[in-house]
Amino acid sequence: MKRFYMFVSLTLSALAFVRAQNVQLHYDLGHSLNGKLSHRPSVTTTVEMFKPDRWGSTFLFTDIDYQRDGVAGAYWEFARELNLSSNRQWAAHVEYNGGLTSDEDTWIATRFQHAILAGGAWNWHSGDFSKTFSVQAMYKYYFRNRHYGAKAFSGFQITEVWGITFAKKLISFNGFCDLWYDPNVDGNLILLAEPQLWVNLNALKGMKGVNLSIGTEVELSNNFVWNNDGRHDKFYAIPTIAAKWTF
């Protein structure tokens, strides 16, 4: 979910007649499962909004991380797609990523090296929207960061987003996978994937209108998560225990 300790780079398919707004609460197990991640915030809240219109779609999400004594950081993304074909499969995609975090020991805030992205998207869905898939290929530009002296640079990012609902809408499996260029890491590539599995309680008998989902997310990353030594050159698989309310 994060630069430093935050989620990054999530986009959704531009699907006709679909609206999705939800709030998620994640209890992160990284600090419990790996001693090198003991400074990692344990709680994250996420707010997502997806809204299609006659020209395309708008998506945004905000993550806020918490330590015991307050907010530790925030991150948000905003994406806009403009349809390039009448069936809404092909679209132009523009996006912004940015946020900040704070050091647990000094509580000095650090701004992330924010970025803009632009490129194309291909979106697909089944007839009943129970299966969706999107892929985006984008140019990515990082702005210079005066806070810690990082230079501006550019590269690329490839994003895949999927969603599957099955078992009479009881189970949802969705998530994303990002691969992007960063000259400051080993191999010059960062990989981040966040699959989610949800049990949708409103699909159970007598639970209609209870739009609560219980599940988990697993953050799979390479060269992304910062550990206590100030390094981000390892592979991590970090699960959460999560709840989501869909409006």
Side-chain angles (χ1 to χ4, degrees), residues 6-238:
M6 311 204 64
F7 292 112
V8 70
S9 299
L10 175 60
T11 22
L12 291 178
S13 306
L15 305 178
F17 313 118
V18 175
R19 298 175 186 269
Q21 292 82 33
N22 66 77
V23 177
Q24 302 174 25
L25 175 66
H26 292 264
Y27 182 73
D28 192 295
L29 298 174
H31 65 288
S32 302
L33 299 176
N34 192 313
K36 288 286 188 179
L37 303 178
S38 61
H39 287 180
R40 184 180 174 90
S42 19
V43 175
T44 297
T45 55
T46 300
V47 178
E48 291 183 349
M49 186 208 78
F50 173 68
K51 185 176 181 180
D53 54 51
R54 61 182 296 185
W55 299 285
S57 65
T58 301
F59 173 73
L60 64 86
F61 83 91
T62 301
D63 282 332
I64 300 178
D65 282 341
Y66 305 85
Q67 297 282 12
R68 290 183 178 180
D69 49 0
V71 173
Y75 173 81
W76 88 300
E77 291 187 4
F78 177 90
R80 175 67 186 173
E81 289 195 353
L82 296 173
N83 297 326
L84 298 178
S85 61
S86 58
N87 62 1
R88 304 175 68 95
Q89 270 200 318
W90 295 95
H93 183 104
V94 293
E95 183 177 329
Y96 171 81
N97 305 164
L100 57 83
T101 189
S102 56
D103 182 87
E104 185 183 42
D105 297 321
T106 65
W107 288 107
I108 296 175
T110 300
R111 293 188 297 273
F112 299 141
Q113 193 170 3
H114 62 164
I116 58 169
L117 303 90
W122 181 81
N123 305 302
W124 174 87
H125 64 85
S126 61
D128 60 357
F129 292 94
S130 64
K131 302 179 182 66
T132 65
F133 181 75
S134 176
V135 60
Q136 297 120 37
M138 297 169 287
Y139 166 83
K140 189 172 188 177
Y141 178 81
Y142 281 96
F143 294 92
R144 176 176 175 267
N145 187 300
R146 294 180 298 172
H147 206 183
Y148 57 91
K151 296 180 179 179
F153 67 91
S154 60
F156 68 89
Q157 178 171 307
I158 299 172
T159 295
E160 301 88 28
V161 185
W162 71 89
I164 303 172
T165 301
F166 55 97
K168 297 183 179 180
K169 299 184 179 181
L170 178 63
I171 308 296
S172 295
F173 176 60
N174 56 275
F176 74 93
C177 180
D178 287 337
L179 179 70
W180 72 92
Y181 171 83
D182 188 324
N184 302 306
V185 301
D186 293 340
N188 296 334
L189 291 174
I190 295 178
L191 175 70
L192 175 65
E194 291 182 359
Q196 296 181 339
L197 186 68
W198 299 102
V199 177
N200 305 310
L201 300 187
N202 61 6
L204 297 174
K205 186 176 180 179
M207 299 288 280
K208 184 178 180 180
V210 181
N211 298 326
L212 179 66
S213 302
I214 305 297
T216 184
E217 175 182 86
V218 180
E219 180 177 332
L220 305 170
S221 68
N222 191 58
N223 290 340
F224 180 72
V225 172
W226 291 76
N227 61 29
N228 297 351
D229 298 327
R231 300 176 64 87
H232 60 124
D233 55 358
K234 302 293 183 182
F235 174 83
Y236 292 99
I238 304 169

